Amino acid sequence: MTEHTNDQKRAVILLSGGLDSATVVAMAQAEGYSCYTMSFDYGQRHRAELNAAARVARDMGVVEHKVIGLNLNGIGGSALTDSSIDVPETPGEGIPVTYVPARNTVFLSLALGWAEVLNARDIFIGVNAVDYSGYPDCRPEFVESFERMANLATKAGVEGQGFRILAPLQNLSKADIVKAGVGLGVDYSLTVSCYQADDEGRACGKCDSCRLRAEGFQAAGITDPTRYF
């Protein structure tokens, strides 16, 4: 972790340990932000992504990396939190069962709380609306709506020190994201994107997240460092 300097602007960044969120950290650092990253132990199928998030935070020298414990598996409703629901391995129609109800709403709410404590005004999230699984809480309308809510629901917002929810990957293809990250020096071998990775962080190569990642690297003409089981 790096030391924070008072003249740097602060940002809270949601860091899952995957390709997209690691790229967002690099983008924020390139814009001169002092970065504070937040991950969630929310009852997901595996801990590989949390381990990856810790590796990425350490490698990229963020000021502080915080892991918040939640119990989204207590309400279930998703293949990522309920082991009785299989992760689909072929593309389907509509919103997939890997959608976690209210996940980004909950994550952004906690990031908002930390940002207010830190006196940070910018919150970054790596959602994408181009090469993505169709989750409703990845759309621009959701990000814009949450930003409005954030400035109504907080002391800082009411007192005129408004928050911004920044989604720099929103309109980029997965190939463009990979190219941007490589250009910024992101070590993608540290990241895990698979919905059902094993304990060593190796990917299945079959789920939607694996497919999108592999297609992105291929389209970018860059070797994918993903390890498969």
Side-chain angles (χ1 to χ4, degrees):
M1 307 300 174
T2 59
E3 292 297 322
H4 172 72
T5 56
N6 291 329
D7 59 348
Q8 281 187 293
K9 53 188 177 180
R10 300 182 181 189
V12 172
I13 302 171
L14 295 180
L15 178 61
S16 69
L19 180 153
D20 292 342
S21 62
T23 306
V24 170
V25 175
M27 287 179 166
Q29 289 179 328
E31 292 181 19
Y33 283 93
S34 179
C35 296
Y36 295 75
T37 52
M38 178 176 273
S39 300
F40 298 90
D41 185 354
Y42 63 92
Q44 57 267 59
R45 277 180 175 262
H46 58 73
R47 299 195 63 82
E49 65 178 15
L50 286 172
N51 295 335
R55 288 195 302 268
V56 170
R58 188 165 52 247
D59 181 72
M60 301 186 78
V62 305
V63 178
E64 184 178 354
H65 177 61
K66 188 181 291 290
V67 179
I68 301 294
L70 298 172
N71 187 28
L72 295 185
N73 57 336
I75 60 173
S78 169
L80 299 192
T81 58
D82 185 342
S83 59
S84 70
I85 303 174
D86 292 334
V87 172
E89 296 185 347
T90 56
E93 297 293 325
I95 298 171
V97 295
T98 50
Y99 161 71
V100 180
R103 180 175 63 178
N104 283 347
T105 304
V106 172
F107 288 2
L108 279 173
S109 296
L110 291 166
L112 174 63
W114 196 27
E116 189 164 29
V117 171
L118 290 170
N119 197 29
R121 293 291 165 257
D122 294 328
I123 300 167
F124 284 79
I125 183 171
V127 292
N128 176 263
V130 180
D131 289 338
Y132 79 125
S133 298
Y135 301 151
D137 54 2
C138 288
R139 297 175 300 162
E141 300 94 317
F142 167 74
V143 175
E144 293 162 6
S145 179
F146 192 94
E147 180 176 285
R148 290 195 299 273
M149 184 279 297
N151 288 305
L152 290 170
T154 55
K155 178 177 183 289
V158 169
E159 292 179 349
Q161 303 173 47
F163 294 94
R164 295 191 302 168
I165 310 299
L166 302 172
L169 310 184
Q170 190 80 77
N171 300 309
L172 299 182
S173 69
K174 193 67 76 175
D176 288 336
I177 294 169
V178 169
K179 289 176 183 176
V182 168
L184 292 169
V186 177
D187 182 356
Y188 286 123
S189 71
L190 301 176
T191 65
V192 172
S193 300
C194 180
Y195 289 146
Q196 47 190 354
D198 67 10
D199 291 341
E200 297 178 31
R202 295 178 299 183
C204 72
K206 299 175 182 178
C207 70
D208 200 37
S209 187
C210 280
R211 177 181 61 80
L212 289 169
R213 177 177 173 129
E215 289 175 354
F217 274 99
Q218 184 176 22
I222 295 169
T223 301
D224 183 359
T226 299
R227 297 177 301 124
Y228 297 97
F229 57 76

